[in-house]
Amino acid sequence: MEPSIFFDEVNERQGVFHRRTFLLGGFAGVGALALVGRLADLQLVEGPRYSLLSASNQFNFRIVPPPRGRILDRNGVEIASNRPDFRVLMRRDETKDVNASLDKISQLLPITDDKRRQLTREIANAPKSTPVFIANGLSWDEFSRVNVRTPELPGISAEMGEARFYPFGGAFSHVIGYVSKVSAEELDAVQASGSKPDPLMLHPGFRIGKQGVEKSLDLQLRGKPGGQKVEVDSGGRVVRLNSDGDIRATPGQDVMLTLDADIQNRALEVFGNESGAAVMMDCRSGDVLCLVSAPSFDANQFVGGAPSAYYHALASYDHKPLLNKALAGLYHPGSTFKTMVTLAALKNGFDPKRTYTCNKAWPFGNHVFNCDKRHGTLDMHGAISESCDVYFFQTAITLGPDKIAEMARNFGLGQVFDIGIPGQKAGIVPDTAWKKRYFKNNPLNQKWFAGETPSMGIGQGATVINALQNCTMVSRIANGKKAVSPRLIHSVGGVIQAPTEPLDLGIDPEHLAFLHAAMTSVANDPNGSAQADAKLGLGSIKMAGKTGTAQDHTYKGGHGAHGAQGAWDLRDNAWFICYAPVDDPRYAMAVLVEHGGFGAQAAVPRAREIMKVALLKDPEVRARIETPLPDIHAKPPPMPDAASASSGIDVSAPDPMPVPVDPMAPQ
Amino acid sequence: MTSSALTSPGQRNLLSEKVAEIDWRLSVLLCIIAGLGAMILYSAAGNSWGPWADKQLIRFGLCLALMLFLSLVDLRVWFQLAYPTYAVGLLLLVAVMLVGHHSLGAKRWLQLGPVQIQPSEIMKIGMTLSLARFYHGISAREARFSWKLIVPLALIGAPTLLVAKQPDLGTALLLVFTGGAIMFLAGLTWRILVAGAILVGVGIVPFITVVMKGYQRDRILTFLHPEQDPSGAGYHILQSKIALGSGGLLGKGFGLGTQSQLNFLPEKHTDFIFATFAEEFGLVGCFGLLMLYAIIIGIALRIASISHSHFGRLSAAGVTFTFAFYVLINAAMVMGLTPIVGVPMPLMSYGGTVMLTVMIGFGLVQSIRVHRYEEMPSGRGVLF
């Protein structure tokens, strides 16, 4: 075979190959070294950073909502608490086909078409990582039915959480409010204020306070969410729970109110179907014991989102169950205002012995003012006791509006009190300055007209107040020394909310004694306007008070008449302010029955029933009631009887078996 | 020494003699790397033999048997099959263009009955053999610079263009690197090398803007700015770096790689298996693994350099550098040093095709060792 390539050529090819293989191999080696350098950079220098990134890939925190703080009455009775709630959630990032999952779940739970549409919308709008409630408030049966099927339902889980629960239903709804789902506006408001929204607010189980204490102390009640550390894969599915890394939720703080659940419940009860408000205070401290607005509504219905039919029924009812009448309902005080006219008159040297004669009608200017009946000649005591308007028309005229208004304001009328919940309306205690302010665009009306003063003297005209103010007024009357203010929040998280130190009332004790006597007469004397129903039947414990029947509409054109006449919404508003016991005032109350007619008929019996609960709950008052009663069923004094009683027991007992004495037994 | 050894030194005709000449160190190292690969596949599947590790081990077993068989195939048979293999490969590449099977937007597969064929893999062997075969037949001077170099350029260019058209950028790149390496080793003049390097440098921009598909361009852009789009195209690189970096010095431990186990690492069992390995075994493990690869490459280059025939030298070196390019490109890609080009880590990444090609290549290398004293017929007269 002829070699076609010469040796030197072959050697050259081989030599070139060796050199260049070495070169290229070396090049690859340098490349490998560069890679090792890069590895060292990534794994050693940047290692900690990438370890963090890896951990943040691996672990997520699921928000664990804290239990909401309870709301308690003054004796620790729960008036807002949490109950276990069985619910079904869907996690969108774990659900491939939302519709298929909903189809399956609706075979297990009743889901209406409306609800289905609403859910589809909610699921579409929810952030991917936050679960959506498919259903809550499930029965155990429904819950377990879903729970056993969850393996076939990706992304669906049946869980137990806590839901707000108001054990008394409606009795406290206006005071403590209710919680409900966070609205878009509330989220926007938090964002607008510049702070980051609490991640808790995005949790579907979270409920935010919408009204009352739930709203005003929402942050304290809310608590701090915990975190459940979970290991997730790249799709966000939970692979493992890691209980070591869990952050415990901080429960919300308990809030204790000054309210007394027994009094509150009784107050709502006595209103029956009537509309109105009842506010009771401890006139020594200002503690609000009862703050009821009737009719009420079941706050529990709002926790899951009020069914729209229920809400519309409430909103369209003319008795206005959604309005807190005790704070936001403004009414003419009517004759209850005569207490203020009385004190103003006495302060300004008015002689209470002075008499006026009531002929029912009393002409003034070109107008005729009317009284309930022909009271005849009365002094001030009698005029209060029998609630004669004619007397107070003329008393008011001797005083003028400014002095009455000054006294009324001293007693809390026309004021907003800091009781820790929103929604109070100040009302109006008119005087000449108020008229100038109020009619600043209408110069003709800025003048105080003479005809307005008699109306003001009987708590009509421009004068409007709420029941809390009226209760504060009667508390200050009953207290006599201190201008106590209402206090509703007793403690938050165990920290007592100290009441503001009340100012001295600065009223002559003689004047107060006069008023006390007159108010006692109202409720107890044969001529007293409230005597028919104001007797407590609790022995020496007596109540004092003042009725009011406030005209709410003009009677002209056949629109009703004084008292409970005509259509419901044209009738007079019935008031009764009272305190008890008269000789040791403790409890002061204002009761309003909206369109209830005469105060004496509609308000007084209700006030009496509520007052009796407060008095009977007070151990000192109870002691006074119980000791003087002759105990006809009492046994003879125990001391001489004790011996025979014990011997009787001995007799009835079987004789003990005689124990044979064992002669061998050691003695 | 047998009589045949005396008359024709180095000739080994008996099967037992041939088997004894197989490089067992090389075979064992290949088994070790494949074993490590199966281990990582077991871990990536959540500590389970299925669905990857078991299949991969069976595949490797078959490929190992094939390699041992090919080791015994006479080098002259390889020599004779060089151009036919290339021709078949080229035909199949054209066929893929026309009737290829679509997968992930690329035409790469050819379905022949039950078997899926990826002609570009046949081409890796065919081109290497053909280039070696061609250079075997020309002189050193001609290999330096002559009109005959049109032939290797065509041998490299035709399959590269067809593969790039599929598009399979990774394989095209490997074909160019392999062909270029063989031309370089055969003695191409430095002037052409420098000129070629300049040409590539100038041509890269129009190539990226005109020839490349959208997703390929994205990969390049993502490579340049990986942090810009962490959940989109940059996700792969970022998660891969997190896996590598969080491995630290010693790794998270076997079966404990969270990036891979929790699926944050994409392609954890194929292209990014090195990141999976790095997460669990750390820098120490990675260094060890790269050392194993380096030793394999060193042994294979040593085999190339002791071959008596130029064909043996060049084809062994071609196979070896292809293997080295695989390792370097894949590792660099996983570390975010190069764009993502879809080059697997040979012997570790899950998949049969590349393993088959690599093991056929090592079968060739072993055959060159076994038949290292064998003289090849002159290149002239067969094709030129």
Side-chain angles (χ1 to χ4, degrees), chain A residues 62-90:
Chain A
R62 265 190 188 173
I63 281 197
V64 177
R68 196 172 172 86
R70 298 172 305 162
I71 302 178
L72 309 169
D73 91 337
R74 64 185 299 109
N75 300 312
V77 177
E78 284 180 351
I79 53 185
S81 61
N82 304 305
R83 65 174 167 78
D85 178 43
F86 297 119
R87 47 184 66 153
V88 172
L89 306 150
M90 178 187 276

PDB file of all heavy atoms in Angstrom, chain A residues 62-90:
ATOM      1  N   ARG A  62     -49.846  31.805  57.104  1.00  0.00           N
ATOM      2  CA  ARG A  62     -51.286  31.961  56.951  1.00  0.00           C
ATOM      3  C   ARG A  62     -51.790  32.720  58.159  1.00  0.00           C
ATOM      4  O   ARG A  62     -51.434  32.404  59.285  1.00  0.00           O
ATOM      5  CB  ARG A  62     -51.953  30.582  56.982  1.00  0.00           C
ATOM      6  CG  ARG A  62     -52.195  29.987  55.641  1.00  0.00           C
ATOM      7  CD  ARG A  62     -53.061  28.786  55.873  1.00  0.00           C
ATOM      8  NE  ARG A  62     -53.199  28.030  54.662  1.00  0.00           N
ATOM      9  CZ  ARG A  62     -53.790  26.858  54.622  1.00  0.00           C
ATOM     10  NH1 ARG A  62     -54.266  26.312  55.718  1.00  0.00           N
ATOM     11  NH2 ARG A  62     -53.914  26.222  53.487  1.00  0.00           N
ATOM     12  N   ILE A  63     -52.604  33.687  57.895  1.00  0.00           N
ATOM     13  CA  ILE A  63     -53.110  34.498  59.002  1.00  0.00           C
ATOM     14  C   ILE A  63     -54.052  33.681  59.870  1.00  0.00           C
ATOM     15  O   ILE A  63     -54.924  32.974  59.364  1.00  0.00           O
ATOM     16  CB  ILE A  63     -53.806  35.744  58.434  1.00  0.00           C
ATOM     17  CG1 ILE A  63     -52.742  36.735  58.055  1.00  0.00           C
ATOM     18  CG2 ILE A  63     -54.774  36.320  59.419  1.00  0.00           C
ATOM     19  CD1 ILE A  63     -53.261  38.110  57.862  1.00  0.00           C
ATOM     20  N   VAL A  64     -53.804  33.758  61.157  1.00  0.00           N
ATOM     21  CA  VAL A  64     -54.718  33.123  62.101  1.00  0.00           C
ATOM     22  C   VAL A  64     -55.449  34.253  62.826  1.00  0.00           C
ATOM     23  O   VAL A  64     -54.837  35.003  63.577  1.00  0.00           O
ATOM     24  CB  VAL A  64     -53.956  32.254  63.112  1.00  0.00           C
ATOM     25  CG1 VAL A  64     -54.901  31.671  64.128  1.00  0.00           C
ATOM     26  CG2 VAL A  64     -53.198  31.162  62.386  1.00  0.00           C
ATOM     27  N   PRO A  65     -56.736  34.418  62.579  1.00  0.00           N
ATOM     28  CA  PRO A  65     -57.432  35.542  63.203  1.00  0.00           C
ATOM     29  C   PRO A  65     -57.471  35.366  64.716  1.00  0.00           C
ATOM     30  O   PRO A  65     -57.663  34.248  65.201  1.00  0.00           O
ATOM     31  CB  PRO A  65     -58.851  35.476  62.618  1.00  0.00           C
ATOM     32  CG  PRO A  65     -58.789  34.489  61.508  1.00  0.00           C
ATOM     33  CD  PRO A  65     -57.622  33.598  61.762  1.00  0.00           C
ATOM     34  N   PRO A  66     -57.247  36.459  65.445  1.00  0.00           N
ATOM     35  CA  PRO A  66     -57.307  36.360  66.903  1.00  0.00           C
ATOM     36  C   PRO A  66     -58.758  36.290  67.357  1.00  0.00           C
ATOM     37  O   PRO A  66     -59.638  36.810  66.669  1.00  0.00           O
ATOM     38  CB  PRO A  66     -56.668  37.669  67.368  1.00  0.00           C
ATOM     39  CG  PRO A  66     -56.958  38.625  66.255  1.00  0.00           C
ATOM     40  CD  PRO A  66     -56.982  37.827  64.986  1.00  0.00           C
ATOM     41  N   PRO A  67     -59.002  35.640  68.503  1.00  0.00           N
ATOM     42  CA  PRO A  67     -60.366  35.705  69.024  1.00  0.00           C
ATOM     43  C   PRO A  67     -60.688  37.146  69.415  1.00  0.00           C
ATOM     44  O   PRO A  67     -59.867  37.820  70.046  1.00  0.00           O
ATOM     45  CB  PRO A  67     -60.345  34.778  70.241  1.00  0.00           C
ATOM     46  CG  PRO A  67     -58.922  34.498  70.524  1.00  0.00           C
ATOM     47  CD  PRO A  67     -58.111  34.824  69.325  1.00  0.00           C
ATOM     48  N   ARG A  68     -61.849  37.620  69.015  1.00  0.00           N
ATOM     49  CA  ARG A  68     -62.233  38.996  69.319  1.00  0.00           C
ATOM     50  C   ARG A  68     -62.550  39.109  70.799  1.00  0.00           C
ATOM     51  O   ARG A  68     -63.087  38.183  71.403  1.00  0.00           O
ATOM     52  CB  ARG A  68     -63.454  39.362  68.481  1.00  0.00           C
ATOM     53  CG  ARG A  68     -63.719  40.851  68.419  1.00  0.00           C
ATOM     54  CD  ARG A  68     -64.822  41.153  67.421  1.00  0.00           C
ATOM     55  NE  ARG A  68     -65.222  42.545  67.489  1.00  0.00           N
ATOM     56  CZ  ARG A  68     -64.635  43.545  66.842  1.00  0.00           C
ATOM     57  NH1 ARG A  68     -63.613  43.288  66.068  1.00  0.00           N
ATOM     58  NH2 ARG A  68     -65.062  44.788  66.955  1.00  0.00           N
ATOM     59  N   GLY A  69     -62.172  40.226  71.372  1.00  0.00           N
ATOM     60  CA  GLY A  69     -62.443  40.442  72.781  1.00  0.00           C
ATOM     61  C   GLY A  69     -63.936  40.397  73.070  1.00  0.00           C
ATOM     62  O   GLY A  69     -64.749  40.760  72.228  1.00  0.00           O
ATOM     63  N   ARG A  70     -64.261  39.937  74.270  1.00  0.00           N
ATOM     64  CA  ARG A  70     -65.683  39.871  74.617  1.00  0.00           C
ATOM     65  C   ARG A  70     -66.148  41.240  75.119  1.00  0.00           C
ATOM     66  O   ARG A  70     -65.347  42.077  75.524  1.00  0.00           O
ATOM     67  CB  ARG A  70     -65.907  38.837  75.716  1.00  0.00           C
ATOM     68  CG  ARG A  70     -65.527  37.422  75.299  1.00  0.00           C
ATOM     69  CD  ARG A  70     -65.583  36.502  76.486  1.00  0.00           C
ATOM     70  NE  ARG A  70     -64.747  37.004  77.592  1.00  0.00           N
ATOM     71  CZ  ARG A  70     -64.862  36.616  78.850  1.00  0.00           C
ATOM     72  NH1 ARG A  70     -65.785  35.741  79.192  1.00  0.00           N
ATOM     73  NH2 ARG A  70     -64.061  37.094  79.783  1.00  0.00           N
ATOM     74  N   ILE A  71     -67.446  41.426  75.097  1.00  0.00           N
ATOM     75  CA  ILE A  71     -68.020  42.609  75.725  1.00  0.00           C
ATOM     76  C   ILE A  71     -68.876  42.094  76.867  1.00  0.00           C
ATOM     77  O   ILE A  71     -69.705  41.192  76.676  1.00  0.00           O
ATOM     78  CB  ILE A  71     -68.842  43.442  74.727  1.00  0.00           C
ATOM     79  CG1 ILE A  71     -67.957  43.857  73.546  1.00  0.00           C
ATOM     80  CG2 ILE A  71     -69.422  44.678  75.406  1.00  0.00           C
ATOM     81  CD1 ILE A  71     -68.681  44.644  72.474  1.00  0.00           C
ATOM     82  N   LEU A  72     -68.616  42.635  78.055  1.00  0.00           N
ATOM     83  CA  LEU A  72     -69.272  42.126  79.256  1.00  0.00           C
ATOM     84  C   LEU A  72     -70.119  43.218  79.885  1.00  0.00           C
ATOM     85  O   LEU A  72     -69.846  44.406  79.712  1.00  0.00           O
ATOM     86  CB  LEU A  72     -68.212  41.684  80.268  1.00  0.00           C
ATOM     87  CG  LEU A  72     -67.137  40.734  79.728  1.00  0.00           C
ATOM     88  CD1 LEU A  72     -66.013  40.591  80.729  1.00  0.00           C
ATOM     89  CD2 LEU A  72     -67.742  39.380  79.415  1.00  0.00           C
ATOM     90  N   ASP A  73     -71.114  42.797  80.632  1.00  0.00           N
ATOM     91  CA  ASP A  73     -71.854  43.801  81.397  1.00  0.00           C
ATOM     92  C   ASP A  73     -71.119  44.048  82.713  1.00  0.00           C
ATOM     93  O   ASP A  73     -70.063  43.454  82.967  1.00  0.00           O
ATOM     94  CB  ASP A  73     -73.323  43.383  81.571  1.00  0.00           C
ATOM     95  CG  ASP A  73     -73.548  42.568  82.840  1.00  0.00           C
ATOM     96  OD1 ASP A  73     -72.575  41.957  83.344  1.00  0.00           O
ATOM     97  OD2 ASP A  73     -74.697  42.536  83.324  1.00  0.00           O
ATOM     98  N   ARG A  74     -71.660  44.869  83.577  1.00  0.00           N
ATOM     99  CA  ARG A  74     -70.922  45.271  84.774  1.00  0.00           C
ATOM    100  C   ARG A  74     -70.659  44.100  85.707  1.00  0.00           C
ATOM    101  O   ARG A  74     -69.778  44.131  86.554  1.00  0.00           O
ATOM    102  CB  ARG A  74     -71.649  46.389  85.513  1.00  0.00           C
ATOM    103  CG  ARG A  74     -72.995  46.002  86.071  1.00  0.00           C
ATOM    104  CD  ARG A  74     -73.722  47.176  86.684  1.00  0.00           C
ATOM    105  NE  ARG A  74     -73.030  47.797  87.795  1.00  0.00           N
ATOM    106  CZ  ARG A  74     -72.462  48.988  87.759  1.00  0.00           C
ATOM    107  NH1 ARG A  74     -72.502  49.693  86.666  1.00  0.00           N
ATOM    108  NH2 ARG A  74     -71.855  49.488  88.819  1.00  0.00           N
ATOM    109  N   ASN A  75     -71.464  43.033  85.558  1.00  0.00           N
ATOM    110  CA  ASN A  75     -71.276  41.870  86.419  1.00  0.00           C
ATOM    111  C   ASN A  75     -70.525  40.746  85.716  1.00  0.00           C
ATOM    112  O   ASN A  75     -70.455  39.635  86.225  1.00  0.00           O
ATOM    113  CB  ASN A  75     -72.634  41.349  86.894  1.00  0.00           C
ATOM    114  CG  ASN A  75     -73.379  42.421  87.667  1.00  0.00           C
ATOM    115  OD1 ASN A  75     -72.801  43.055  88.551  1.00  0.00           O
ATOM    116  ND2 ASN A  75     -74.632  42.662  87.310  1.00  0.00           N
ATOM    117  N   GLY A  76     -69.998  41.028  84.543  1.00  0.00           N
ATOM    118  CA  GLY A  76     -69.224  40.011  83.838  1.00  0.00           C
ATOM    119  C   GLY A  76     -70.061  39.104  82.968  1.00  0.00           C
ATOM    120  O   GLY A  76     -69.559  38.105  82.451  1.00  0.00           O
ATOM    121  N   VAL A  77     -71.331  39.435  82.786  1.00  0.00           N
ATOM    122  CA  VAL A  77     -72.165  38.631  81.897  1.00  0.00           C
ATOM    123  C   VAL A  77     -71.788  38.955  80.454  1.00  0.00           C
ATOM    124  O   VAL A  77     -71.656  40.120  80.087  1.00  0.00           O
ATOM    125  CB  VAL A  77     -73.655  38.943  82.132  1.00  0.00           C
ATOM    126  CG1 VAL A  77     -74.530  38.158  81.150  1.00  0.00           C
ATOM    127  CG2 VAL A  77     -74.036  38.641  83.565  1.00  0.00           C
ATOM    128  N   GLU A  78     -71.573  37.909  79.656  1.00  0.00           N
ATOM    129  CA  GLU A  78     -71.176  38.130  78.257  1.00  0.00           C
ATOM    130  C   GLU A  78     -72.347  38.693  77.468  1.00  0.00           C
ATOM    131  O   GLU A  78     -73.412  38.088  77.399  1.00  0.00           O
ATOM    132  CB  GLU A  78     -70.748  36.808  77.613  1.00  0.00           C
ATOM    133  CG  GLU A  78     -69.374  36.357  78.048  1.00  0.00           C
ATOM    134  CD  GLU A  78     -68.974  35.047  77.383  1.00  0.00           C
ATOM    135  OE1 GLU A  78     -69.827  34.417  76.737  1.00  0.00           O
ATOM    136  OE2 GLU A  78     -67.808  34.669  77.539  1.00  0.00           O
ATOM    137  N   ILE A  79     -72.129  39.837  76.848  1.00  0.00           N
ATOM    138  CA  ILE A  79     -73.174  40.356  75.963  1.00  0.00           C
ATOM    139  C   ILE A  79     -72.710  40.348  74.519  1.00  0.00           C
ATOM    140  O   ILE A  79     -73.491  40.564  73.604  1.00  0.00           O
ATOM    141  CB  ILE A  79     -73.645  41.762  76.404  1.00  0.00           C
ATOM    142  CG1 ILE A  79     -72.475  42.719  76.549  1.00  0.00           C
ATOM    143  CG2 ILE A  79     -74.408  41.668  77.696  1.00  0.00           C
ATOM    144  CD1 ILE A  79     -72.897  44.066  77.097  1.00  0.00           C
ATOM    145  N   ALA A  80     -71.407  40.102  74.318  1.00  0.00           N
ATOM    146  CA  ALA A  80     -70.902  39.804  72.968  1.00  0.00           C
ATOM    147  C   ALA A  80     -69.771  38.815  73.165  1.00  0.00           C
ATOM    148  O   ALA A  80     -68.856  39.064  73.939  1.00  0.00           O
ATOM    149  CB  ALA A  80     -70.390  41.058  72.274  1.00  0.00           C
ATOM    150  N   SER A  81     -69.866  37.684  72.519  1.00  0.00           N
ATOM    151  CA  SER A  81     -68.838  36.669  72.694  1.00  0.00           C
ATOM    152  C   SER A  81     -68.617  36.003  71.341  1.00  0.00           C
ATOM    153  O   SER A  81     -69.112  36.464  70.323  1.00  0.00           O
ATOM    154  CB  SER A  81     -69.267  35.659  73.743  1.00  0.00           C
ATOM    155  OG  SER A  81     -70.455  35.018  73.333  1.00  0.00           O
ATOM    156  N   ASN A  82     -67.850  34.928  71.363  1.00  0.00           N
ATOM    157  CA  ASN A  82     -67.563  34.228  70.120  1.00  0.00           C
ATOM    158  C   ASN A  82     -68.049  32.793  70.255  1.00  0.00           C
ATOM    159  O   ASN A  82     -67.901  32.183  71.298  1.00  0.00           O
ATOM    160  CB  ASN A  82     -66.059  34.232  69.845  1.00  0.00           C
ATOM    161  CG  ASN A  82     -65.501  35.635  69.825  1.00  0.00           C
ATOM    162  OD1 ASN A  82     -65.976  36.485  69.085  1.00  0.00           O
ATOM    163  ND2 ASN A  82     -64.533  35.892  70.682  1.00  0.00           N
ATOM    164  N   ARG A  83     -68.607  32.312  69.176  1.00  0.00           N
ATOM    165  CA  ARG A  83     -69.033  30.915  69.200  1.00  0.00           C
ATOM    166  C   ARG A  83     -68.319  30.180  68.067  1.00  0.00           C
ATOM    167  O   ARG A  83     -67.908  30.798  67.079  1.00  0.00           O
ATOM    168  CB  ARG A  83     -70.547  30.825  69.032  1.00  0.00           C
ATOM    169  CG  ARG A  83     -71.013  31.310  67.685  1.00  0.00           C
ATOM    170  CD  ARG A  83     -72.485  31.086  67.485  1.00  0.00           C
ATOM    171  NE  ARG A  83     -72.944  31.824  66.320  1.00  0.00           N
ATOM    172  CZ  ARG A  83     -72.751  31.443  65.064  1.00  0.00           C
ATOM    173  NH1 ARG A  83     -72.109  30.327  64.822  1.00  0.00           N
ATOM    174  NH2 ARG A  83     -73.190  32.169  64.058  1.00  0.00           N
ATOM    175  N   PRO A  84     -68.162  28.865  68.220  1.00  0.00           N
ATOM    176  CA  PRO A  84     -67.533  28.128  67.129  1.00  0.00           C
ATOM    177  C   PRO A  84     -68.412  28.181  65.888  1.00  0.00           C
ATOM    178  O   PRO A  84     -69.645  28.150  65.991  1.00  0.00           O
ATOM    179  CB  PRO A  84     -67.419  26.695  67.646  1.00  0.00           C
ATOM    180  CG  PRO A  84     -68.081  26.664  68.956  1.00  0.00           C
ATOM    181  CD  PRO A  84     -68.563  28.016  69.326  1.00  0.00           C
ATOM    182  N   ASP A  85     -67.761  28.302  64.764  1.00  0.00           N
ATOM    183  CA  ASP A  85     -68.513  28.430  63.513  1.00  0.00           C
ATOM    184  C   ASP A  85     -67.926  27.438  62.513  1.00  0.00           C
ATOM    185  O   ASP A  85     -66.736  27.428  62.260  1.00  0.00           O
ATOM    186  CB  ASP A  85     -68.363  29.867  62.990  1.00  0.00           C
ATOM    187  CG  ASP A  85     -69.084  30.056  61.670  1.00  0.00           C
ATOM    188  OD1 ASP A  85     -70.219  29.566  61.546  1.00  0.00           O
ATOM    189  OD2 ASP A  85     -68.494  30.674  60.765  1.00  0.00           O
ATOM    190  N   PHE A  86     -68.766  26.588  61.983  1.00  0.00           N
ATOM    191  CA  PHE A  86     -68.311  25.641  60.968  1.00  0.00           C
ATOM    192  C   PHE A  86     -68.476  26.289  59.608  1.00  0.00           C
ATOM    193  O   PHE A  86     -69.550  26.789  59.283  1.00  0.00           O
ATOM    194  CB  PHE A  86     -69.121  24.347  61.032  1.00  0.00           C
ATOM    195  CG  PHE A  86     -68.953  23.634  62.330  1.00  0.00           C
ATOM    196  CD1 PHE A  86     -70.035  23.399  63.161  1.00  0.00           C
ATOM    197  CD2 PHE A  86     -67.707  23.195  62.730  1.00  0.00           C
ATOM    198  CE1 PHE A  86     -69.879  22.749  64.364  1.00  0.00           C
ATOM    199  CE2 PHE A  86     -67.537  22.538  63.935  1.00  0.00           C
ATOM    200  CZ  PHE A  86     -68.631  22.312  64.754  1.00  0.00           C
ATOM    201  N   ARG A  87     -67.414  26.280  58.844  1.00  0.00           N
ATOM    202  CA  ARG A  87     -67.450  27.008  57.577  1.00  0.00           C
ATOM    203  C   ARG A  87     -66.727  26.218  56.488  1.00  0.00           C
ATOM    204  O   ARG A  87     -65.913  25.348  56.767  1.00  0.00           O
ATOM    205  CB  ARG A  87     -66.787  28.368  57.762  1.00  0.00           C
ATOM    206  CG  ARG A  87     -65.474  28.258  58.499  1.00  0.00           C
ATOM    207  CD  ARG A  87     -64.838  29.590  58.797  1.00  0.00           C
ATOM    208  NE  ARG A  87     -65.579  30.421  59.731  1.00  0.00           N
ATOM    209  CZ  ARG A  87     -65.017  31.332  60.507  1.00  0.00           C
ATOM    210  NH1 ARG A  87     -63.730  31.514  60.487  1.00  0.00           N
ATOM    211  NH2 ARG A  87     -65.735  32.074  61.312  1.00  0.00           N
ATOM    212  N   VAL A  88     -67.040  26.560  55.282  1.00  0.00           N
ATOM    213  CA  VAL A  88     -66.378  25.938  54.136  1.00  0.00           C
ATOM    214  C   VAL A  88     -65.695  27.042  53.340  1.00  0.00           C
ATOM    215  O   VAL A  88     -66.307  28.058  53.031  1.00  0.00           O
ATOM    216  CB  VAL A  88     -67.378  25.184  53.239  1.00  0.00           C
ATOM    217  CG1 VAL A  88     -66.707  24.710  51.969  1.00  0.00           C
ATOM    218  CG2 VAL A  88     -67.966  24.012  53.993  1.00  0.00           C
ATOM    219  N   LEU A  89     -64.412  26.849  53.078  1.00  0.00           N
ATOM    220  CA  LEU A  89     -63.625  27.868  52.394  1.00  0.00           C
ATOM    221  C   LEU A  89     -63.114  27.318  51.075  1.00  0.00           C
ATOM    222  O   LEU A  89     -62.910  26.114  50.923  1.00  0.00           O
ATOM    223  CB  LEU A  89     -62.388  28.239  53.216  1.00  0.00           C
ATOM    224  CG  LEU A  89     -62.573  28.677  54.639  1.00  0.00           C
ATOM    225  CD1 LEU A  89     -61.359  28.291  55.436  1.00  0.00           C
ATOM    226  CD2 LEU A  89     -62.733  30.171  54.694  1.00  0.00           C
ATOM    227  N   MET A  90     -62.887  28.237  50.166  1.00  0.00           N
ATOM    228  CA  MET A  90     -62.227  27.846  48.925  1.00  0.00           C
ATOM    229  C   MET A  90     -60.961  28.669  48.783  1.00  0.00           C
ATOM    230  O   MET A  90     -60.981  29.883  48.930  1.00  0.00           O
ATOM    231  CB  MET A  90     -63.130  28.089  47.718  1.00  0.00           C
ATOM    232  CG  MET A  90     -62.459  27.735  46.399  1.00  0.00           C
ATOM    233  SD  MET A  90     -63.459  28.208  44.997  1.00  0.00           S
ATOM    234  CE  MET A  90     -64.544  26.808  44.884  1.00  0.00           C
TER     235      MET A  90
END
